[in-house]
Amino acid sequence: MKTRTLSFKFTLIFIGFTVVALLMSSVLSYFNQMQMYRNQCEKNVQHVASYLEEILMSEGNYFLFYQDYFLLHKDDLMIPIDFGTKDIIKSEKKFKELFAKKYPGEIFTQSSPFDEFDDELKSAYTVYKHQYYLDKFEKARMDFELIYVEYMVPAEKPYHLTYVLDSMREPRMIAGKDFIELGITVPNPLEEHKKEWEAWETGKRPNGYDTFDNEFGKTFAFYTPLYVSGRKMGIIGVEVEIAKVNREILLATVKQMMAIGIMLIILMLLLLYFIRINYIQKLIKLQEAIADYSLSKNPLVAEKLTAEGNSGDEISLIITKFADMIYELELYMQSLSKTKDELQNTKKHAVEMSELALKDPLTGIRNRNGYYNEVKKLEWEISDGEAKFGIAMIDLNFLKKINDTYGHEIGNRAIISLCRITCSVFEHSPVFRVGGDEFVAILRDHDLECADILVHEFKRKLESLKNDSRLEFWEQTSAAIGYAVFDSSVDSDYESVLKRADVQMYENKKAMKAMRED
């Protein structure tokens, strides 16, 4: 009766533990996943907004011209609703051919006089750029699985916005053909769009988001003001759906907890069975044997107790004493040795992962993280008065042109080619890839002493590739280089040396550009 009562108590304890553990883990798991997703969601949309902001800002004054012309002539511009990549290329080609016709012998650049263009040329440019920008916005929306991406400009009416770039194309029929409805103006009341108007009025990206319930479901909208050449232009908006994700997280959490619950119940039953067979029944036998010995004082009972003590479990410790203690100690030492081996393997794996975290996957050299570690060492050396180093900055030319013309795979090969040349010239110095097309070599010892010679050798190698007519354009590696040597009388920190190297590299790039234009 007592044994059954003990088993019953164990069962209640295990059931209570399982229920509490499931409830707590379910709640914690759900809210943790929700918080992680929302944080990640906010980071993702901010990344998208920054990416789109960079695209528009990179155009400089020409984006100002595009927007001003678009807003004045949005009703006259006709852009097919189903345009694609080929249409963008055709629009660009049409604009450049028209430019060449009106400005013979000139090449369109950022310094071209847009204000002097006639309406035909301005319109062709605006159509081409609108297709280009809209394509970037739509691809960002699809790539990041967003609900909506738009660029808006406040209208003349208070709390009204004009959509300049709208990732959801609205059709309008002209002469039996579908074109995009451009420059749609809609009211956005302040009470429903607080963060949107905060972004415009303050000129800063606000913390938090606006929440909407619309045809897309429940969405969160994030906003970023756009500045070009110091002028506040408009607002970039990014919307992401949350309700669907909430349901999926909740459903996933429930399924996960059900699976864990079933496993815990099975393990609980197995554990109860194990306890009963190996402990409770043995206690009953020991109790009977002890009672028999207390009555009969028969030494055979002692032998029976000793026989029961050969299993090596906790109950057997009462009988076997030191023998089982030694056995348990041996098991403990084996377990300790196994744990030690596992810890060593874990440490080795951690070291390997740490090395991978410092390695650039494309070129195989150290990445930006490795570069920052090296900079810390140099800062320590500078503070100790023992610094002797130089910095060579290398920047690949024409990467965007190579990517756009030949594809990103060829662009990667161009980056790898420049990396090999850099490492071969500065073979005694650590070389880091600090950006998509930027490398930094920390000059030490021999390379520091021979910096002028090595930089000349670097330029000579690139010149030989440039003059090799057998090579493709992307194989004729072109890059600008600049270097500077630490001088304790001039430089107080690493950043000072870096700036001088950067200035020299930029001067080299300008000189190369001037030579190409000549």
Side-chain angles (χ1 to χ4, degrees):
M1 188 67 178
K2 292 181 180 180
T3 302
R4 289 195 298 271
T5 302
L6 187 59
S7 298
F8 181 72
K9 289 181 178 180
F10 273 128
T11 302
L12 290 179
I13 291 172
F14 288 140
I15 290 175
F17 172 79
T18 301
V19 171
V20 173
L22 283 174
L23 289 175
M24 291 182 62
S25 60
S26 298
V27 173
L28 291 175
S29 176
Y30 176 77
F31 284 103
N32 184 53
Q33 290 187 57
M34 281 294 300
Q35 187 61 42
M36 289 176 60
Y37 175 80
R38 291 192 179 185
N39 291 341
Q40 187 61 46
C41 177
E42 185 169 354
K43 290 181 181 179
N44 287 344
V45 295
Q46 288 178 355
H47 173 73
V48 174
S50 298
Y51 163 72
L52 297 175
E53 180 184 18
E54 183 178 350
I55 290 176
L56 301 182
M57 290 177 61
S58 66
E59 296 288 331
N61 289 332
Y62 265 81
F63 184 77
L64 304 180
F65 299 143
Y66 153 79
Q67 179 169 312
D68 292 342
Y69 189 85
F70 174 88
L71 293 174
L72 288 174
H73 300 84
K74 60 182 184 295
D75 296 330
D76 302 324
L77 298 172
M78 292 192 297
I79 300 175
I81 196 166
D82 58 348
F83 78 84
T85 303
K86 292 183 179 179
D87 299 298
I88 299 174
I89 296 174
K90 289 180 181 179
S91 296
E92 180 184 14
K93 182 179 179 182
K94 177 181 177 181
F95 164 71
K96 290 184 177 178
E97 289 176 350
L98 191 60
F99 179 85
K101 179 180 178 181
K102 295 179 181 292
Y103 296 88
E106 295 188 24
I107 299 176
F108 178 75
T109 65
Q110 289 284 353
S111 60
S112 298
F114 187 89
D115 289 336
E116 298 177 7
F117 292 174
D118 57 22
D119 281 341
E120 182 183 16
L121 191 55
K122 289 180 178 179
S123 177
Y125 177 81
T126 304
V127 169
Y128 154 56
K129 278 302 180 182
H130 188 84
Q131 289 176 322
Y132 172 79
Y133 296 142
L134 188 56
D135 180 67
K136 292 293 186 182
F137 271 60
E138 291 175 342
K139 286 180 178 178
R141 179 176 66 85
M142 291 184 292
D143 291 344
F144 290 90
E145 298 181 352
L146 302 171
I147 291 297
Y148 206 41
V149 179
E150 69 272 347
Y151 170 64
M152 305 158 289
V153 175
E156 294 181 358
K157 294 182 179 180
Y159 300 114
H160 281 64
L161 289 173
T162 298
Y163 283 75
V164 178
L165 297 169
D166 189 343
S167 63
M168 303 294 287
R169 304 181 189 181
E170 295 291 339
R172 66 168 175 169
M173 183 74 70
I174 302 177
K177 295 183 179 180
D178 284 333
F179 294 87
I180 298 178
E181 182 74 29
L182 300 175
I184 299 174
T185 299
V186 297
N188 281 5
L190 176 62
E191 60 272 14
E192 298 177 10
H193 301 264
K194 293 182 179 179
K195 294 299 179 180
E196 187 175 47
W197 289 111
E198 180 184 340
W200 173 252
E201 292 170 359
T202 65
K204 297 179 181 180
R205 178 181 292 172
N207 293 323
Y209 41 80
D210 287 332
T211 304
F212 302 109
D213 281 316
N214 49 38
E215 66 270 26
F216 305 113
K218 186 175 182 181
T219 63
F220 287 170
F222 299 81
Y223 302 99
T224 295
L226 175 67
Y227 282 85
V228 177
S229 300
R231 171 181 163 186
K232 185 166 62 172
M233 302 292 295
I235 309 167
I236 297 172
V238 180
E239 292 188 35
V240 60
E241 182 182 10
I242 295 298
K244 179 181 178 181
V245 177
N246 289 351
R247 292 192 298 269
E248 291 177 352
I249 292 176
L250 179 60
L251 182 60
T253 302
V254 171
K255 289 181 178 179
Q256 180 182 6
M257 291 307 104
M258 288 179 63
I260 294 175
I262 293 172
M263 292 178 61
L264 284 175
I265 291 172
I266 294 173
L267 290 174
M268 180 191 70
L269 294 174
L270 291 175
L271 183 59
L272 287 172
Y273 178 78
F274 176 81
I275 291 174
R276 181 171 181 82
I277 295 299
N278 292 276
Y279 294 100
I280 296 178
Q281 288 187 356
K282 186 176 290 188
L283 283 172
I284 295 173
K285 292 179 180 180
L286 289 174
Q287 183 181 18
E288 293 174 350
I290 293 173
D292 185 18
Y293 179 75
S294 65
L295 293 173
S296 64
K297 301 296 189 291
N298 188 342
L300 295 177
V301 174
E303 293 179 5
K304 184 178 180 180
L305 288 175
T306 303
E308 290 291 339
N310 291 329
S311 300
D313 53 47
E314 291 83 352
I315 298 174
S316 298
L317 288 174
I318 300 174
I319 304 170
T320 59
K321 299 181 181 179
F322 296 109
D324 260 357
M325 188 182 297
I326 295 173
Y327 173 72
E328 291 293 333
L329 182 61
E330 179 64 22
L331 291 178
Y332 173 77
M333 293 301 295
Q334 291 177 2
S335 176
L336 187 62
S337 177
K338 181 181 179 181
T339 302
K340 181 181 178 181
D341 292 340
E342 291 175 351
L343 287 174
Q344 289 177 342
N345 291 334
T346 302
K347 182 178 180 181
K348 180 180 179 182
H349 180 68
V351 171
E352 293 173 351
M353 293 300 292
S354 176
E355 292 176 353
L356 287 176
L358 302 177
K359 188 175 182 181
D360 177 47
L362 177 62
T363 61
I365 64 175
R366 280 180 277 180
N367 59 13
R368 184 183 291 271
N369 291 332
Y371 170 72
Y372 288 150
N373 290 342
E374 190 70 19
V375 170
K376 290 179 182 178
K377 295 179 183 178
L378 293 174
E379 292 287 3
W380 291 337
E381 293 179 9
I382 292 173
S383 63
D384 292 339
E386 300 177 356
K388 292 182 180 180
F389 69 95
I391 303 173
M393 294 190 65
I394 299 97
D395 185 81
L396 178 64
N397 295 328
F398 309 120
L399 179 59
K400 184 178 185 303
K401 181 178 180 181
I402 294 172
N403 285 336
D404 293 344
T405 306
Y406 301 97
H408 286 273
E409 182 177 354
I410 296 300
N412 288 341
R413 291 168 67 179
I415 293 172
I416 293 172
S417 175
L418 177 59
C419 178
R420 289 174 178 170
I421 295 172
T422 304
C423 292
S424 67
V425 172
F426 303 100
E427 60 180 341
H428 301 294
S429 300
V431 179
F432 307 86
R433 184 185 180 198
V434 298
D437 54 1
E438 295 178 347
F439 296 84
V440 171
I442 306 299
L443 308 182
R444 298 277 200 173
D445 302 328
H446 172 271
D447 286 1
L448 179 61
E449 296 172 0
C450 303
D452 290 327
I453 298 174
L454 293 177
V455 170
H456 177 75
E457 174 65 13
F458 179 86
K459 294 180 178 179
R460 187 194 65 77
K461 285 192 174 185
L462 296 189
E463 187 67 23
S464 66
L465 292 175
K466 175 184 176 183
N467 296 329
D468 191 341
S469 60
R470 297 170 300 175
L471 299 178
E472 296 287 345
F473 171 74
W474 63 270
E475 294 177 307
Q476 297 174 338
T477 306
S478 175
I481 185 171
Y483 81 100
V485 176
F486 173 76
D487 185 348
S488 59
S489 64
V490 176
D491 304 309
S492 60
D493 54 19
Y494 174 87
E495 220 25 64
S496 175
V497 189
L498 182 66
K499 287 180 180 178
R500 289 195 286 110
D502 184 59
V503 170
Q504 191 180 113
M505 186 271 289
Y506 182 73
E507 292 297 327
N508 182 222
K509 185 176 284 289
K510 287 202 301 184
M512 295 174 73
K513 182 178 180 181
M515 292 180 63
R516 289 196 302 271
E517 292 176 351
D518 290 341

